[in-house]
Amino acid sequence: GEGGTPEKGLSNKAKKKAAKKAAALAKKAASAAAEGGGRPPDEKLPVGAVDYTKDFFAKRANLTVSGQLNVETHCCAMSDVYTFGPTFRAENSHTSRHLAEFWMIEPEIAFADLHDDINLAEDYIKYCVTYALEVCKDDLNFFETSPFGEKGLVERLRNVIAAPFKRLTYTEGIEILKKVVADGHKFEDSDIKWGMDLGSEHERYLCETVFKKPVVLMDYPKGIKAFYMKLNEDGETVAAADILVPKIGELVGGSQREHRHGVLKERCIASGLEPKAVWWYLELRKFGTIPHAGFGLGFERLILFITGLENIRDVIPFPRAPGLAEF
């Protein structure tokens, strides 16, 4: 986008004031652009502000973190659909499980609630694992016996398909973690409280140590989940579910979508999102709609989970991560 630089000679206080005003105006310009227009022609930009009306799309635009909102329109027209494509995250995470660009499989199913969504996700994971065990047996044996492989890989995968995944609510998960901390277990973040966003260490402890199998956590606090997730009757939680698996932590994140037009609009406002910026998404509910649900599964995390490799950068041809964009 186009923009200027702060004028020379301004005091630090004046610069801060100008920067604050610029940020507010940029937000206003982005909102106006999202509504289908730009900033008023007679409105002057302060020094340092970005004029998004002169940008490539004539509005503020970002790389997508999901194809879900768009594919919901297809779901409402054609019932059961999915998208599979690149996804971008600007999260500054330097871990063995994070990439700045990865591929995501995102089904969206019509006439479905959260439990239908979980059933589909569990079946999908088990299908992929079963296929690998039957068709890629030699490869899995290689990974297991390689010096860089995981001992007990095949047994771990067989355990995934041997029994139903353990299902419990987020609240129940928090209570379990609180108890293990009270009993003396130490996490990097041992301040366990309701409303926190669980870290990988907490997720892995639940599925690797407590239940020793994949775990489905459901009904998360609305404050740590997206605006489009269906608000539960308690008004505090949403119909969301994450599937946690040994070695990885979160493999799947999904939810039943909020199909009530008024509630969705209120959730937009409460989340700080201008409803007019997603007018087309709201219109899916405006004249009546269907209960629907979906999830996202990171493809590279699935490959990491099945191969037993240690670093997600080893399972994508051209890894891009914070500080790494060689290709």
Side-chain angles (χ1 to χ4, degrees):
E2 297 186 7
T5 53
E7 290 179 353
K8 292 178 181 177
L10 285 174
S11 67
N12 285 335
K13 188 176 179 182
K15 284 179 183 177
K16 283 181 182 177
K17 190 175 179 182
K20 191 175 179 182
K21 191 175 179 184
L25 199 65
K27 187 176 179 182
K28 185 178 176 183
S31 178
E35 292 170 24
R39 63 180 175 83
D42 59 343
E43 186 175 39
K44 291 183 180 178
L45 282 169
V47 174
V50 175
D51 185 355
Y52 286 106
T53 63
K54 293 181 181 175
D55 214 340
F56 186 83
F57 290 108
K59 64 191 289 186
R60 187 172 181 174
N62 301 283
L63 292 170
T64 184
V65 296
S66 168
Q68 176 215 312
L69 298 191
N70 296 100
V71 85
E72 279 190 49
T73 64
H74 293 67
C75 173
C76 290
M78 297 184 288
S79 193
D80 298 346
V81 295
Y82 74 94
T83 179
F84 180 40
T87 301
F88 304 88
R89 296 282 164 93
E91 199 178 342
N92 194 21
S93 298
H94 298 263
T95 78
S96 60
R97 301 172 314 283
H98 285 89
L99 290 165
E101 178 190 4
F102 61 97
W103 284 65
M104 189 128 79
I105 299 158
E106 296 178 281
E108 195 73 27
I109 51 175
F111 307 102
D113 62 16
L114 183 64
H115 295 286
D116 297 316
D117 196 37
I118 295 168
N119 291 340
L120 175 63
E122 181 172 338
D123 287 348
Y124 178 70
I125 293 169
K126 286 182 173 179
Y127 174 85
C128 291
V129 170
T130 301
Y131 185 92
L133 286 169
E134 291 176 355
V135 180
C136 311
K137 191 182 293 184
D138 291 344
D139 294 318
L140 294 179
N141 286 334
F142 169 77
F143 284 124
E144 184 161 8
T145 56
S146 162
F148 304 102
E150 178 193 344
K151 285 184 174 61
L153 169 64
V154 171
E155 189 56 39
R156 173 171 66 77
L157 293 178
R158 284 184 180 140
N159 186 51
V160 170
I161 59 177
F165 293 177
K166 176 65 181 177
R167 303 186 187 192
L168 65 158
T169 66
Y170 166 92
T171 303
E172 290 168 335
I174 287 290
E175 290 307 314
I176 291 169
L177 293 171
K178 276 183 178 177
K179 187 177 184 306
V180 300
V181 168
D183 289 344
H185 185 81
K186 296 256 190 282
F187 292 109
E188 278 186 33
D189 181 4
S190 290
D191 185 19
I192 309 295
K193 53 180 180 268
W194 196 92
M196 72 182 291
D197 203 354
L198 296 177
S200 178
E201 58 175 342
H202 308 121
E203 296 171 340
R204 291 184 63 178
Y205 189 87
L206 287 172
C207 56
E208 292 175 4
T209 307
V210 179
F211 297 106
K212 297 182 172 55
K213 58 161 46 173
V215 168
V216 184
L217 272 190
M218 306 174 289
D219 299 329
Y220 279 77
K222 64 181 181 182
I224 59 172
K225 289 295 184 181
F227 74 96
Y228 53 75
M229 298 182 175
K230 185 176 183 292
L231 191 64
N232 288 330
E233 288 182 10
D234 60 16
E236 294 299 323
T237 61
V238 289
D242 287 351
I243 297 184
L244 319 174
V245 296
K247 193 176 175 69
I248 304 291
E250 183 191 340
L251 180 60
V252 166
S255 71
Q256 182 176 345
R257 316 310 187 189
E258 183 55 77
H259 60 273
R260 297 164 294 185
H261 183 264
V263 177
L264 182 61
K265 194 170 181 180
E266 286 172 8
R267 289 281 290 136
C268 283
I269 295 166
S271 302
L273 174 66
E274 171 57 56
K276 288 183 180 177
V278 286
W279 63 268
W280 56 273
Y281 186 71
L282 284 162
E283 276 207 353
L284 287 175
R285 283 86 169 159
K286 191 172 181 180
F287 305 104
T289 187
I290 50 166
H292 57 289
F295 64 83
L297 178 145
F299 183 64
E300 287 78 16
R301 282 198 180 186
L302 177 65
I303 301 301
L304 196 66
F305 176 63
I306 290 176
T307 59
L309 294 178
E310 290 297 324
N311 199 312
I312 199 164
R313 298 180 190 188
D314 293 330
V315 297
I316 187 169
F318 302 108
R320 298 180 182 104
L324 178 67
E326 283 294 309
F327 312 107

